[in-house]
């Protein structure tokens, strides 16, 4: 609050009144904290039943495959894919509460950057039939960071590239090293982002509006979480995009020499 507006009124040495907005801000902060707590508890509570539904669906799927009930197994497979979507949404909500309360933790180790990218790409190739995920690697070397969190960011960028380029058939993933930085570019040939929105997309809950965008599902959290992870790991994240042509999403991390 502003000092000038916060001078207290004294009466017999007692403060009888405060000008200013400190109470408003306290109330706002408390409300925000309550919201964050609620989001955290709700996401946590949702996670438990979803995890067990997933386990049951997998058992059921395996039984149906064994009994050669292909049609039913196909339905369970689709259920499983929807459960994964739900799990990811809950995971994003949990991450946001962790970030906003400063409780996000990083488990840092040395790992080979290209290898981490290759593993993530291999996992994700199964999730899209339409797009070929093309990798073009330069020699990058090792980074000291949280491998799971970095894979999470790469996953976010690639799943967005798939989601926002429904008529394209490929996505290009490039890595390179410049001086003291390792970087990755995820290129799609999709709907693109208007120039005045390219910074906003990294904000919490922000989604580009427009008739086309409404058809894509999402909460507007993936890029916010990604940018918080990359910032905390000492890197940068950004996008170059042309509406109707596609987007190049980048992030870089400091490259350090292994001892
Ligand atoms: P979500 O995809 O769940 O909405 P994100 O935080 O991942 O949330 O992205 C925020 C917004 O940025 C999206 O709603 C979309 O409008 C835009 N966006 C993200 N990635 C792309 C992309 N590859 N191409 C076009 N627009 C994108």
């Amino acid at each position: 609050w502003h000092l000038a507006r916060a001078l207290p009124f004294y009466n017999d040495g007692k403060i009888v009144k405060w000008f200013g907005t400190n109470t408003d801000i306290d109330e706002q902060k408390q409300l925000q904290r309550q919201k964050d707590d609620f989001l955290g508890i709700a996401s946590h509570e949702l996670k438990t039943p979803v995890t067990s539904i997933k386990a049951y669906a997998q058992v059921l799927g395996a039984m149906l495959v064994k009994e050669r009930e292909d049609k039913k197994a196909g339905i369970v497979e689709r259920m499983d894919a929807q459960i994964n979507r739900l799990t990811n949404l809950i995971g994003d909500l949990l991450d946001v509460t962790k970030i906003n309360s400063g409780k996000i933790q990083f488990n840092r180790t040395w790992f080979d950057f290209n290898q981490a990218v290759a593993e993530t790409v291999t996992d994700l190739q199964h999730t899209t039939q339409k797009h070929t995920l093309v990798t073009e690697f330069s020699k990058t070397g090792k980074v000291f960071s949280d491998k799971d969190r970095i894979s999470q960011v790469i996953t976010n960028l690639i799943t967005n590239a798939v989601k926002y380029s429904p008529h394209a058939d490929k996505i290009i993933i490039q890595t390179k090293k410049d001086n003291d930085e390792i970087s990755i570019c995820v290129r799609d040939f999709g709907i693109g982002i208007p120039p005045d929105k390219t910074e906003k997309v990294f904000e919490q809950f922000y989604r580009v509006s427009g008739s086309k965008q409404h058809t894509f599902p999402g909460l507007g959290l993936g890029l916010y979480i990604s940018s918080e992870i990359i910032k905390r790991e000492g890197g940068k994240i950004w996008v170059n995009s042309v509406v109707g042509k596609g987007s190049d999403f980048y992030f870089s991390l400091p490259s350090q020499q292994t001892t």
Side-chain angles (χ1 to χ4, degrees), residues 39-84:
L39 211 57
I41 294 164
S43 329
H44 189 78
E45 288 300 310
L46 288 167
K47 207 174 155 181
T48 318
V50 172
T51 308
S52 73
I53 293 170
K54 178 159 179 74
Y56 288 129
Q58 278 176 336
V59 173
L60 188 59
M63 283 163 74
L64 293 170
V65 168
K66 216 170 162 191
E67 290 162 17
R68 296 175 168 252
E69 294 267 17
D70 289 354
K71 225 172 162 183
K72 291 180 192 162
I75 293 170
V76 175
E77 207 176 299
R78 293 216 290 278
M79 270 173 64
D80 192 53
Q82 294 304 320
I83 296 167
N84 287 344

Side-chain angles (χ1 to χ4, degrees), residues 77 119-129 131 133:
E77 207 176 299
E119 284 167 12
T120 312
V121 169
T122 306
D123 285 347
L124 289 173
Q125 184 62 75
H126 300 297
T127 64
T128 170
Q129 276 101 43
H131 301 79
L133 306 181

Side-chain angles (χ1 to χ4, degrees), residues 160 163-164 188 193 201 206-208 218-223 247:
N160 275 351
K163 179 160 75 172
Y164 297 104
D188 70 58
I193 299 166
V201 292
Y206 185 83
R207 309 197 72 214
V208 177
L219 290 179
L221 291 178
L223 288 180
S247 308

Side-chain angles (χ1 to χ4, degrees), residues 89 92 156-165 186-188 190-194 197 200-209 213 216-226 239 241 246-249:
L89 288 174
D92 279 357
N156 276 339
L157 299 185
I158 298 177
T159 46
N160 275 351
V162 169
K163 179 160 75 172
Y164 297 104
S165 69
V186 176
R187 168 168 300 168
D188 70 58
I191 62 168
I193 299 166
K197 306 283 161 46
K200 281 190 155 31
V201 292
F202 298 101
E203 289 171 11
Q204 197 172 170
F205 299 117
Y206 185 83
R207 309 197 72 214
V208 177
S209 57
Q213 269 83 0
F216 301 103
L219 290 179
L221 291 178
L223 288 180
Y224 168 70
I225 295 167
S226 301
V239 58
S241 186
S247 308
D248 291 352
F249 273 88

